[in-house]
DNA sequence: CATGAATGAGAATTCATTCAT
DNA sequence: AATGAATGAATTCTCATTCAT
């Protein structure tokens, strides 16, 4: 009845299933440690099908990378938007990071594992930069207000984001629990890192 | 002069060359992305020779992991030893981390890439833990003095160490320079994270 | 005419070609003495193709074993069926053995070389046992009639079958010819072994 | 004190240890399935040492073959010597075979596995033939007496010897026990095969 | 679009053999 | 004679990719 007769599946669904499967596997092992046939099997499609949607394994990992990065971007931008103060902005950012790493743990791990890798296409790097931009703008205006200490925003961001990643890895390894209390403590501590 | 007459080659030299070559390659690509024949070629030995010294690729990566971890351990323990105050202790730790990441950049990158990976043997994890212990002791005594904020030492260490890693990755990607000024700034900032 | 339209090649054909090639090579050299690429080359397929059809070399040798065993089973069961007397039954069995060893000489040699070997899976052994059962039943009923001497059927079968194998090996080595006369003589002699 | 000062070991002992180790391993797996370093390890010598005593793996397997064959030859010749009658001669032969297969089970299995193989040197085959000769002479004279049925001796020997091998394999596979009773029964039966 | 059999280059690993000591 | 580290060709097996259907 509808104009679009979905025979078995929407091609977009197939593509999404492949990206999802690739994300799951590549966030466990590395890019090189993940076999294309395994991705296909997990996505529930034939091996050949993958090549209808992506030119090759590299194109696939880049697609995964972009989607993850974008997803995190949206998450953080939303979290930060309309914060009444730098302190509150940071609080939302830190909590946003936490929430994202819980809700999209695979995406979070994937992004960490695949930073700055040789098979990342320029287009993927750009997504990467645009994410940073939003946060850098936030830092700069907070510095102008005298709320965040002086220094290159990218350095401060690297330190603060690195701190979160360190915490996340620790919890992933089972050495600590990322509970409410730990988050509160860490937020306080990292604000100590940033505050003027 | 030496008591030990070297024949053609000391087996220990061969082993060391293989570990070195593996470190160099595996810190560029991942474990899975590094081919054993390439390691052998870089070490200047035949492919089969590797298997006289290591049972397999996994045993090799574990040996590399342990050596790197131990190397960093010694470096930091030495740096921290006999610090007159917590503040000074942290300063030395941070500078030690910096120096280590410059002098042993491959080891540093390797350790970051290979944390908590499925092919790490229990023995390797233990080396890992023993390193943490030294620093945790430092943190605890500084907390007793009221110099470092309250909270589980492993959380604070994860945050601070993570911050350094974040900075190092940023510089590796060429987005910032790890110069004297940046180190001074970052040290000050991360002390803000730790200080009571 | 046939309902099944053959594309380029039926996968079953490929599988059969691989089994055939493996049989040919493994009945000349041993299991360990036969290289997988050689099997593939003889089957006219690429080396990798083998692994689509068999999980590994062991799975392949087991498949070959089962097919050979089954083939001999069918041959002998058919030969023995409806024999009017024990003497005639044995005559047919002996002639059946002879015919099988001529028409399927590779299968016959293969089975001899690969009896009770460590890489035989339990499933393969079961095929083996079911073959024995048919003959054992024949022996038991002949013993009941007083035509075959007393004693455990499996012992008598082992002796008689062993005698045939000994003869076949002798002829294979070129030390005697398995002609009509020899078969007649040997049949007579081995009946002497069995007869009450 | 003795003229021959045995420093550590007699070279003959080393050689014997290697042959013994090779026999043990090659009677379990095949020639191709047995690794030279494994033989060396089991013999308690270094890998290189093997090549002082044998030109290569083929020379080793041939040495093992000859020693086994000779050992069985002596055993059977002794068993058969001075038998008062063909019937008694066969009885001794059959019992000799039994004893040999128990006392030298590895040698017996080895000989069975390695009959007529491509790496057997002519010299090895000759040992092989000389064994057969002794038994063939026995058969011929028994035929002259009218005690053993007419026919080419090598055919009768192949049948009778094959029968024993069949029985031995059966017992090796654990399907029957080679006890006194079974031997008595089988001897009786195989005499039925031979008797005129 | 989807399939999955086929490919073949390349991966990890083994092993017969050599040779400096 | 004995050693054992080193070799490199050969082995088993994997996997990114293609293509006829």
């Amino acid at each position: 009845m509808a104009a679009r007769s979905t025979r078995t599946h929407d091609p977009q669904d197939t593509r999404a299933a492949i990206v999802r499967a690739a994300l799951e596997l590549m966030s466990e092992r590395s890019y090189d440690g993940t076999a294309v046939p395994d991705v296909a099997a997990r996505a529930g499609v034939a091996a050949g099908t993958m090549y209808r949607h992506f030119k090759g394994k590299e194109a696939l990992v880049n697609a995964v990378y972009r989607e993850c990065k974008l997803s995190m971007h949206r998450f953080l931008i939303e979290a930060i938007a309309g914060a009444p103060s730098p302190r509150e902005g940071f609080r939302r950012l830190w909590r946003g990071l936490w929430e994202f790493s819980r809700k999209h743990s695979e995406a979070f791990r994937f992004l960490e594992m695949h930073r700055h890798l040789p098979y990342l296409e320029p287009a993927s790097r750009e997504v990467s930069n645009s994410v940073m931009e939003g946060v850098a703008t936030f830092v700069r205006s907070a510095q102008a207000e005298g709320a965040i200490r002086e220094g290159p925003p990218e350095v401060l961001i690297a330190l603060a984001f690195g701190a979160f990643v360190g915490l996340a890895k620790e919890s992933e390894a089972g050495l600590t629990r990322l509970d409410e209390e730990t988050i509160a403590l860490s937020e306080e501590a990292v604000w100590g890192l940033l505050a003027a």
Side-chain angles (χ1 to χ4, degrees), chain A:
Chain A
M1 248 153 224
R4 119 181 290 171
S5 82
T6 342
R7 269 159 310 184
T8 28
H9 275 300
D10 193 311
Q12 287 308 320
D13 291 353
T14 304
R15 195 197 131 100
I18 293 171
V19 170
R20 173 97 209 126
L23 169 59
E24 285 169 7
L25 292 177
M26 289 181 182
S27 65
E28 288 263 341
R29 279 287 231 175
S30 63
Y31 167 74
D32 289 294
T34 301
V36 173
D38 289 356
V39 173
R42 182 175 265 252
V45 300
T49 300
M50 232 214 61
Y51 291 84
R52 304 237 143 243
H53 295 271
F54 303 95
K55 194 162 178 249
K57 199 184 180 185
E58 285 209 3
L60 173 58
V61 75
N62 275 280
V64 176
Y65 186 87
R66 274 195 299 273
E67 291 207 8
C68 289
K69 200 83 192 182
L70 226 55
S71 162
M72 183 160 124
H73 184 49
R74 277 195 296 266
F75 215 96
L76 296 187
I77 289 301
E78 209 166 306
I80 214 174
S85 69
R87 183 69 189 81
E88 177 60 16
F90 171 69
R91 205 191 67 86
R92 293 183 184 178
L93 212 49
W94 195 256
R95 298 269 162 171
L97 232 29
W98 180 35
E99 243 186 286
F100 183 81
S101 77
R102 276 196 312 145
K103 290 195 186 153
H104 305 276
S105 61
E106 283 127 345
F108 189 78
R109 290 180 61 196
F110 178 91
L111 287 172
E112 262 322 289
M113 283 183 82
H114 295 80
R115 284 217 282 170
H116 316 311
L117 255 47
Y119 38 78
L120 279 194
E121 299 158 6
S124 302
R125 290 176 200 273
E126 275 166 40
V127 172
S128 194
N129 294 337
S130 86
V131 174
M132 166 79 94
E133 268 322 299
V135 184
T137 301
F138 166 75
V139 170
R140 259 187 293 270
S141 74
Q143 286 178 318
E145 286 184 41
I148 284 186
R149 70 171 76 223
E150 290 306 311
E154 64 271 17
V155 168
L156 295 174
I157 293 169
L159 288 168
F161 185 68
F164 184 83
V165 171
L167 190 59
K169 281 197 176 166
E170 192 82 353
S171 94
E172 218 176 88
L175 303 177
T176 200
R177 301 223 20 256
L178 254 187
D179 51 18
E180 175 55 39
E181 199 179 354
T182 303
I183 283 300
L185 166 68
S186 63
E187 190 223 310
E188 192 68 40
V190 178
W191 178 251
L193 184 159
L194 293 172

